[in-house]
Amino acid sequence: MNYLPLRKDLTEGKRKCYFCGRQLTSLKAFVLENVVTKEEVFSGPKCAQDNISDEFDLRLMPDLTVFTLAFNLDIEGVRKGRLSSSSASAIQKDIDYKKAIEYIELRENKLLKDLNESYEPLKNYYLKYRMLGRLDEIEIQHITNIELKTKPSLKLVNLQKFYNHLFWINIAISLLGERANDYLVPIKESLCKYRNITEAQKNGVNKWLKNLDGIPQLK
């Protein structure tokens, strides 16, 4: 197969699967990279499974969507993947691997400009992952240790939440235009400054989002 699995990512619902042309209505998509052209394409789970090598497991792809409520997500295509073993230690290794890749994907790619917190070892691991599609156990452990010792605003769970909230606030601002200036734009500025929003701010954003067709509530 000619594609590397990169990540499971958010999409605004208008994008279609590169392979079969079906609309990706779940708001979540699998992003693959053409190994020859380096083009990134968006895919549904079934087509993603059909177009990657058997050496890769979709369930180990970094998932950047955990703080977005999905619409009609079909996971059947992911169940064909295999894990290395059913033992508890092997399962934990798989979990550690997935979280480590999520961390470098968010910190060194998706949120690089917003965070301005690039870290040379993480950057090097990310570049290697993009080149080879995998990292070894020692590298994964090093990433895990870096995340463990970092400040709260740079913990994985906070970056996940930050990314999901920022994605949908940006979509809402683009749809609302000037109407977003009084509330959503200041909320975005606050989110980028503090890398978090309060529960009251989240509830306020959701009041806007619920009136926008196809836009989910913040989780």
Side-chain angles (χ1 to χ4, degrees):
M1 298 296 181
N2 294 322
Y3 289 88
L4 282 175
L6 294 182
R7 64 188 181 273
K8 186 178 177 185
D9 210 342
L10 297 170
T11 178
E12 78 287 354
K14 298 178 182 178
R15 195 183 293 270
K16 294 181 178 180
C17 175
Y18 175 82
F19 301 102
C20 70
R22 293 177 63 184
Q23 194 164 357
L24 300 171
T25 58
S26 73
L27 305 182
K28 303 181 180 186
F30 292 88
V31 183
L32 312 180
E33 180 184 73
N34 187 303
V35 297
V36 177
T37 66
K38 303 302 179 182
E39 177 189 11
E40 291 188 13
V41 301
F42 283 66
S43 169
K46 177 72 166 60
C47 289
Q49 188 70 61
D50 291 344
N51 285 278
I52 62 172
S53 168
D54 288 341
E55 66 182 298
F56 296 111
D57 188 330
L58 287 184
R59 290 176 295 180
L60 298 184
M61 286 179 73
D63 183 356
L64 310 186
T65 72
V66 294
F67 281 95
T68 287
L69 300 174
F71 293 163
N72 305 317
L73 181 60
D74 173 18
I75 62 170
E76 289 301 318
V78 193
R79 292 178 182 167
K80 292 180 181 178
R82 44 153 185 77
L83 296 176
S84 57
S85 168
S86 59
S87 70
S89 61
I91 290 173
Q92 186 58 52
K93 285 181 181 178
D94 288 336
I95 292 171
D96 291 344
Y97 181 91
K98 185 171 181 291
K99 287 183 176 180
I101 301 301
E102 288 171 357
Y103 191 63
I104 58 173
E105 177 66 44
L106 285 165
R107 186 164 169 179
E108 297 296 334
N109 182 32
K110 304 298 287 191
L111 293 173
L112 183 62
K113 292 181 180 178
D114 299 290
L115 292 172
N116 193 27
E117 293 268 12
S118 182
Y119 182 49
E120 193 70 22
L122 295 177
K123 178 183 178 180
N124 291 336
Y125 288 142
Y126 177 71
L127 293 175
K128 181 177 179 180
Y129 172 72
R130 284 301 302 265
M131 183 180 297
L132 302 178
R134 65 180 65 82
L135 294 175
D136 64 34
E137 252 183 74
I138 294 175
E139 293 164 332
I140 293 300
Q141 187 59 55
H142 190 199
I143 295 169
T144 300
N145 289 339
I146 292 172
E147 193 273 343
L148 187 66
K149 296 174 183 178
T150 196
K151 55 190 175 183
S153 65
L154 291 178
K155 294 286 188 182
L156 175 59
V157 66
N158 199 62
L159 297 191
Q160 288 273 22
K161 190 181 298 184
F162 180 23
Y163 175 65
N164 281 245
H165 289 180
L166 185 62
F167 183 91
W168 294 115
I169 289 172
N170 278 334
I171 293 293
I173 289 172
S174 69
L175 292 174
L176 289 167
E178 292 184 359
R179 289 183 292 163
N181 289 344
D182 291 336
Y183 189 75
L184 289 183
V185 170
I187 288 292
K188 176 186 174 180
E189 293 171 350
S190 177
L191 173 62
C192 290
K193 181 178 181 180
Y194 299 107
R195 298 168 186 172
N196 196 12
I197 55 176
T198 67
E199 194 67 21
Q201 288 174 322
K202 184 177 74 172
N203 292 337
V205 171
N206 281 336
K207 288 179 181 179
W208 284 82
L209 298 187
K210 71 180 182 180
N211 295 314
L212 298 176
D213 186 42
I215 305 299
Q217 302 282 283
L218 301 185
K219 187 175 174 182

